[in-house]
Amino acid sequence: MKQWFRRSLALFFTVTMLFVQTIGVAENYKSHNPLITPQKLQETKTQQRYTNILLLGIDFGFWDYRGSGSKFKKTLEDCHTDAIMVVSINMTTEEVNLISLPRDTVTYIPEVHGIYKLNGAFNCADTLEEGFDRICDAASWLLGGIPIDHYCAVDMAAMIALGDFIGGVDMELEMNYTGSSGKYYSSGMQHLD
């Protein structure tokens, strides 16, 4: 009986020690994971002045376009920001830089509990204005805290209008292609409107 008691006691202490260590590791991991407990970012001070503009392409605005997902986008709130870029204009040197942020980047969205893909930040809000604030804050956080001074969002209808405004584009197709509308394009130089 004593041997059984000693084994049970040893097992109990072993399990208890493993449990305590596991909690400690989990708390340590949680406190050091920037997506779970992000640090407050401080704005970088520089002598040069920058204006940063977030450019967003939203999968909405064309009657037959489903965008990401399989359902038709009936309202702007159903949509995602599938194209995300930041234009940074150095007001001192007049240099312009552009960076594209991958839409599927897993990121922290300030003031939102949980971890989301960057293109879903827009949907973590109750109003459109708050949605735009969320995507601006998430892009800023992802880029180390740079301020986003302005944003510009376009939907599919705006892209069609822009393409028409510039007279279309010339594109070299490497292969024959049939579009979703059923229109056939042969390989070679094509003018797309």
Side-chain angles (χ1 to χ4, degrees):
M1 191 69 144
K2 288 184 178 182
Q3 189 175 11
W4 177 84
F5 180 75
R6 286 182 189 162
R7 285 184 183 169
S8 296
L9 192 58
L11 180 61
F12 172 77
F13 283 120
T14 302
V15 169
T16 302
M17 294 293 285
L18 287 174
F19 181 72
V20 168
Q21 286 178 343
T22 302
I23 289 174
V25 168
E27 286 301 313
N28 188 34
Y29 172 77
K30 181 178 178 183
S31 65
H32 290 93
N33 186 330
L35 292 176
I36 296 173
T37 53
Q39 302 287 325
K40 274 281 195 197
L41 297 175
Q42 294 181 350
E43 190 175 323
T44 303
K45 301 293 182 194
T46 177
Q47 296 296 329
Q48 299 179 354
R49 290 187 17 232
Y50 290 88
T51 297
N52 300 309
I53 304 165
L54 183 65
L55 304 178
L56 303 168
I58 301 177
D59 61 353
F60 179 72
F62 186 61
W63 71 272
D64 194 27
Y65 183 72
R66 294 177 186 262
S68 55
S70 60
K71 66 179 185 169
F72 286 110
K73 309 295 183 168
K74 294 181 180 161
T75 66
L76 197 54
E77 290 88 353
D78 293 334
C79 300
H80 294 91
T81 50
D82 283 343
I84 306 165
M85 297 180 180
V86 176
V87 176
S88 183
I89 305 165
N90 185 322
M91 305 305 279
T92 306
T93 66
E94 299 181 356
E95 182 180 49
V96 178
N97 289 292
L98 176 72
I99 185 171
S100 179
L101 303 175
R103 68 183 190 169
D104 290 332
T105 303
V106 175
T107 189
Y108 166 71
I109 302 168
E111 299 182 30
V112 176
H113 180 72
I115 301 170
Y116 297 85
K117 292 193 307 183
L118 183 59
N119 74 335
F122 181 70
N123 304 103
C124 293
D126 296 323
T127 66
L128 291 179
E129 191 61 37
E130 191 178 276
F132 285 117
D133 288 343
R134 292 278 191 252
I135 187 69
C136 288
D137 291 345
S140 173
W141 184 86
L142 195 61
L143 293 172
I146 70 164
I148 300 295
D149 303 301
H150 309 283
Y151 66 85
C152 177
V154 296
D155 61 11
M156 295 299 292
M159 292 305 296
I160 292 168
L162 179 61
D164 290 344
F165 178 76
I166 64 172
V169 294
D170 293 326
M171 182 174 176
E172 179 80 30
L173 291 180
E174 297 178 0
M175 61 182 209
N176 297 333
Y177 175 75
T178 302
S180 59
S181 65
K183 186 171 180 180
Y184 175 78
Y185 300 91
S186 59
S187 62
M189 186 62 71
Q190 298 290 327
H191 182 77
L192 305 174
D193 61 11

